[in-house]
Amino acid sequence: MLRFKNLGSGSAGNATLVEARDGQQVSRLLIDCGLRVSELRRRLQAAGLELSDLDGLFVTHEHSDHVGHTHRFAQETGLPVWMSEGTRLACQAELWGLPSGQLQTARDGVTFALGALALHPFTVPHDAREPLQLRCSDGDRSLGVLTDLGHASAHVVQALQGCHALLLEANHDVGMLSRSSYPAFLRQRIAGPLGHLSNVDAAALLQAVHHPGLSCVVAAHLSERNNTPSLAQAAFSAVLGCLAEDVLVADPQTGSDWHTA
Ligand SMILES: [Zn+2]
Ligand SMILES: [Zn+2]
């Protein structure tokens, strides 16, 4: 069984828990550590888990809402941490003084295993040095975790084909962003090809990977200033053919419930 729970989503800090069960074996990966370790511990405990129940961390890219507290997490837990070579260089992880072997290199298109989890990183267009997002599988079901990208490249669409569940960025409403008080350079960065997905972009990507076996979609990484849950829900519901109020949205502070892929 493959299930996931977002623990917080957006510029205030990202963390998503992915769990696979295969008989007696349970494997848990944390994707991104943008929360303080004390806060991460608190949110894990609310889900009935401790830091010691985790088996590893995958860091998508060096922006602080994702890599933020990885150094401290790695020191406290001793768990393996995967990231791309570019992310490692960009966040100067070699200065963290971790034991050799704790930092593992993830590469686009190279699947690796963490217990019962098979993890398939793929490159995304985003203004970081070598950002990777992740497809997770228990060998039967697949979850695509995808935030922080400016547009849906053919490579991204390919990587998400056949997923049974998606945690998918719906960052901003184009109109709200254009009217926002953000400086022009920031609005251009967010809306640009290496920024973040708008609701419309995200819905188009959802349409491109939608199939009858896709049973769970959670909208994520919503801007608290340039989007609303109801706008993201409306965009996704048009593709999913459900009521807008039934579209799941990850809360910036509390994340989501457990969902099964
Ligand atoms: Zn982010
Ligand atoms: Zn980012």
Side-chain angles (χ1 to χ4, degrees):
M1 187 181 80
L2 181 69
R3 65 176 191 159
F4 67 103
K5 177 179 172 60
N6 180 265
L7 300 172
S9 183
S11 57
N14 295 274
T16 298
L17 197 52
V18 182
E19 179 187 278
R21 283 174 188 267
D22 181 13
Q24 294 298 313
Q25 187 180 29
V26 182
S27 306
R28 297 187 187 92
L29 176 74
L30 187 70
I31 301 176
D32 286 329
C33 190
L35 304 172
R36 283 180 175 279
V37 174
S38 56
E39 181 61 21
L40 176 65
R41 187 180 278 117
R42 194 183 67 75
R43 295 189 196 186
L44 283 171
Q45 285 170 347
L49 295 170
E50 302 288 341
L51 276 179
S52 57
D53 292 316
L54 302 180
D55 299 298
L57 169 66
F58 180 88
V59 177
T60 58
H61 64 296
E62 69 271 23
H63 291 162
S64 61
D65 54 322
H66 299 265
V67 76
H69 301 275
T70 296
H71 176 190
R72 184 78 192 283
F73 175 94
Q75 285 186 326
E76 277 204 28
T77 65
L79 290 172
V81 178
W82 283 268
M83 61 179 69
S84 70
E85 175 78 3
T87 299
R88 184 180 66 75
L89 292 169
C91 66
Q92 297 189 293
E94 69 277 10
L95 301 180
W96 295 349
L98 300 176
S100 71
Q102 189 176 0
L103 275 180
Q104 304 272 330
T105 303
R107 294 181 179 84
D108 172 63
V110 179
T111 301
F112 63 96
L114 177 65
L117 279 166
L119 303 161
H120 180 85
F122 56 95
T123 305
V124 299
H126 188 53
D127 53 3
R129 186 143 169 187
E130 190 187 349
L132 295 172
Q133 297 287 326
L134 201 59
R135 178 180 177 126
C136 311
S137 173
D138 66 351
D140 178 30
R141 311 288 288 180
S142 294
L143 159 72
V145 175
L146 180 66
T147 67
D148 296 67
L149 71 165
H151 67 279
S153 62
H155 187 60
V156 166
V157 173
Q158 174 66 30
L160 295 179
Q161 290 298 330
C163 279
H164 304 94
L166 291 172
L167 183 77
L168 176 60
E169 171 165 74
N171 178 259
H172 59 274
D173 172 74
V174 172
M176 284 181 75
L177 178 64
S178 69
R179 294 188 300 272
S180 83
S181 59
Y182 281 10
F185 81 89
L186 188 53
R187 291 199 303 270
Q188 285 163 9
R189 187 226 140 204
I190 292 168
L194 299 179
H196 290 272
L197 285 189
S198 70
N199 294 335
V200 170
D201 294 337
L205 172 55
L206 185 55
Q207 182 72 59
V209 300
H210 192 227
H211 67 107
L214 177 63
S215 59
C216 178
V217 178
V218 180
H221 213 295
L222 271 68
S223 168
E224 294 188 72
R225 292 183 54 183
N226 300 316
N227 207 358
T228 65
S230 60
L231 287 169
Q233 286 174 310
F236 280 18
S237 69
V239 177
L240 297 173
C242 64
L243 293 173
E245 65 207 48
D246 291 336
V247 174
L248 302 166
V249 179
D251 184 85
Q253 306 302 324
T254 58
S256 72
D257 293 334
W258 282 106
H259 296 292
T260 301

